[in-house]
Amino acid sequence: MAAPLDSAPARPALVSIVDALPASTPFVGPEALERRFGRPLHVRLGANESLFGPSERVIEAMRQAALETHLYGDPEAFELRTALARHHGLTLDHVVLGSGIDELLGLFVRAYLAPGEIAVMSLGGYPTFAYQVAGHGGRIETVPYRDDRNDAEGLVEAARRVGARLLYLSNPDNPSGSHLTAASQLELIERLPPNCLLVLDEAYAEFAPADAIPEVSADDPRVVRLRTFSKAHGLAGMRVGYAFGAAETIRPLDRIRNQFGVGRMAQAAALAALADQDHVASVVAAVAQGRAEYAELARELGFAALPSATNFVAIDVATNACAKTLLASLLEREGVFIRMPGAAPLDRCIRVTVGRAEDRTVFAAAFRRVVACL
Amino acid sequence: MAAPLDSAPARPALVSIVDALPASTPFVGPEALERRFGRPLHVRLGANESLFGPSERVIEAMRQAALETHLYGDPEAFELRTALARHHGLTLDHVVLGSGIDELLGLFVRAYLAPGEIAVMSLGGYPTFAYQVAGHGGRIETVPYRDDRNDAEGLVEAARRVGARLLYLSNPDNPSGSHLTAASQLELIERLPPNCLLVLDEAYAEFAPADAIPEVSADDPRVVRLRTFSKAHGLAGMRVGYAFGAAETIRPLDRIRNQFGVGRMAQAAALAALADQDHVASVVAAVAQGRAEYAELARELGFAALPSATNFVAIDVATNACAKTLLASLLEREGVFIRMPGAAPLDRCIRVTVGRAEDRTVFAAAFRRVVACL
């Protein structure tokens, strides 16, 4: 590069919304922890990745697709959207793809929440939604969890009170693992204020009981549902999520999305993953067993596991101080990466991903050791 | 899904900026053309993909990475950014990653162009920049090409006249293939109005002569440079681009970017590609030969090829009508996908990607046939 500048020109001013944002983000990845400690983690159980991996057929599809990565992916993702539409009993127009649910959250905020307008979510809910709202100049109104679940009534009441334009609900919920019944979600939808879009984040839908997933008319313009290939399908590293809902609600995202953002291999991997429902079923079954093991482990150590409809378990360790100590001890002494909810009342819990049997064995041994040192 | 709704609730209102956008986008992918014609394309020479592909080492790296795709990528992309910083003689803080240059363009618009503010670009320049500006409520001021190149003086004059906050320059240029000298770019930078960021899109930098690439101080806060793994590295389907520039200018993107958006395999592929500069050099050499072949072919058919510092060639066929006819004939009769510039004076050209020798042979034969039918 050229020599340093003699006189320093000024940096162009940031847009005020971006200027007002905090410089740091809440996303410390496990790799950053490894760098901080100068050694690799023993096991990653903090990001709800599927340690069961994608299926062999998906891995083979990716290996084949490696020969075509010099080509852009289809910006309309026709094949994948067709397969997703068929899977959900929808038409192509009901489905839009994104680079993970995270990107889709940003697009729905851009499309439906003007600067200064208000979005409602649970206090301590998925931080990326709040990140996207703040990043676009919106405001967040939070509603505390009630009985360790999203408070459906409280959320919709808040939305009505503040005139919210977006209501974010994650169901099954991250970080509690709980779920609302389909009936209570349908009631929430019926009570949405006018001009309010329900953003229903169903990242963990595959792990949930049937009665957690509401039957919403495909053409109800008030609801969009978000799904991902990052969890049950084991493709967190490929970045594929999708939203489905009424065409009139979904299609405007085509005006603003990163048209070529879902790459060719990502589309190929997702297509293969969707076709391998046996793999998904086997992961879901293994996760159910793992959840039961974690519950038993918690009981053995004098704690309680919250019921979970996801691929992780929140273990109630009674106090925030205890949760913090356990999190730090597991990380620093055992090289075990987990996370914990960020706000009361759930911040008395640690959140542990359900890994494979061998991962669970590692966690159980480490957890017993750090609890013994409390 | 549930039964249709009895009474139709209203769709929540779109944010006014998004509501005002056109429903269609200018991005018709080759797959859409294949669906329209009901048959596969013979050869894709329209998107400036590298038909030379990534190197064998990159393909092997992706095949290895397929075993880790259940894990998110490092949101800080520490290894890749470290390698990029070393490659360019910078520090880690000078580099930010994105899901291709397209996403980074959107992030720079979000960070530096408030709704109603003005960005300057060449008339008929890269449409995705205009798409991102419009998508965030900005306005575009265009400056016509002069002598089939970006008009450096005209662009900076326009920026000064309208008080532009962003000036977009693609160098080497798409769609003309031309380049500005380093000296003229440095002059443009010195004449930037206060508070104006130069967004220098160098997607085709690897193909350019040395004097096309200016030496700008790494800490000059008025300039950001965009690069990609989609062109010379042959990884369009993996979605990895990056920007480098002064930390104070670059780092605010960390407040708004999709933190986990560059996936694990994409990072692994890019890292392997950056390490294989021999492959890049061989692609660049092959492309130079292909450009010469296209120039000779054009001459043989009575046309002129514009000089190119990229992996494509704009062939001047004299009139817009002729360009349109050739484009349509190549597509419909020959299954050859090319593109053409969207505005005068360059819309008298067709734009053809330099493929491998066998691709060029297919193009040459098809081009001769359609020209013969003119």
Side-chain angles (χ1 to χ4, degrees), chain A residues 1 13 15 18 35 49 69 72 74 76 110-111 131 135 165 195 216 231 237 239 255 257 259-260, chain B residues 1 13 15 18 35 49 69 72 74 76 110-111 131 135 165 195 216 231 237 239 255 257 259-260:
Chain A
M1 301 295 282
V15 166
V18 177
R35 290 189 289 275
E49 296 154 331
T69 45
Y72 289 100
D74 175 9
E76 299 174 22
R110 254 180 90 184
Y131 171 80
R165 299 293 318 280
N195 232 356
V216 180
K231 303 302 177 188
R239 316 313 304 131
R255 307 178 193 176
R257 68 186 178 84
Q259 300 287 329
F260 290 85
Chain B
M1 302 295 283
V15 167
V18 177
R35 289 189 290 274
E49 297 154 330
T69 44
Y72 288 101
D74 176 8
E76 298 174 22
R110 255 180 88 184
Y131 171 79
R165 299 293 318 280
N195 231 357
V216 180
K231 304 300 176 189
R239 315 312 305 130
R255 307 178 193 176
R257 67 186 177 84
Q259 299 287 328
F260 291 85

Side-chain angles (χ1 to χ4, degrees), chain A residues 95-121:
Chain A
V95 184
V96 66
L97 286 191
S99 179
I101 285 177
D102 287 0
E103 184 185 52
L104 289 162
L105 290 175
L107 291 172
F108 281 111
V109 168
R110 254 180 90 184
Y112 289 101
L113 189 79
E117 293 183 331
I118 306 178
V120 166
M121 69 181 295

Side-chain angles (χ1 to χ4, degrees), chain A residues 203-218:
Chain A
Y204 299 94
E206 291 86 351
F207 302 104
D211 89 326
I213 309 300
E215 297 243 327
V216 180
S217 164

Side-chain angles (χ1 to χ4, degrees), chain B residues 287-357:
Chain B
V287 164
Q289 184 184 334
R291 288 191 308 230
E293 280 184 31
Y294 280 178
E296 179 53 36
L297 174 68
R299 232 181 338 263
E300 170 202 322
L301 296 172
F303 303 129
L306 272 52
S308 170
T310 65
N311 74 339
F312 60 86
V313 174
I315 299 177
D316 179 351
V317 297
T319 67
N320 178 245
C322 184
K324 279 184 174 160
T325 301
L326 288 170
L327 190 86
S329 300
L330 282 166
L331 180 62
E332 290 161 29
R333 301 216 307 256
E334 302 285 347
V336 173
F337 167 57
I338 62 167
R339 284 206 169 116
M340 57 178 287
L346 287 167
D347 63 357
R348 69 186 198 285
C349 301
I350 58 172
R351 195 197 68 178
V352 191
T353 304
V354 176
R356 299 162 299 176

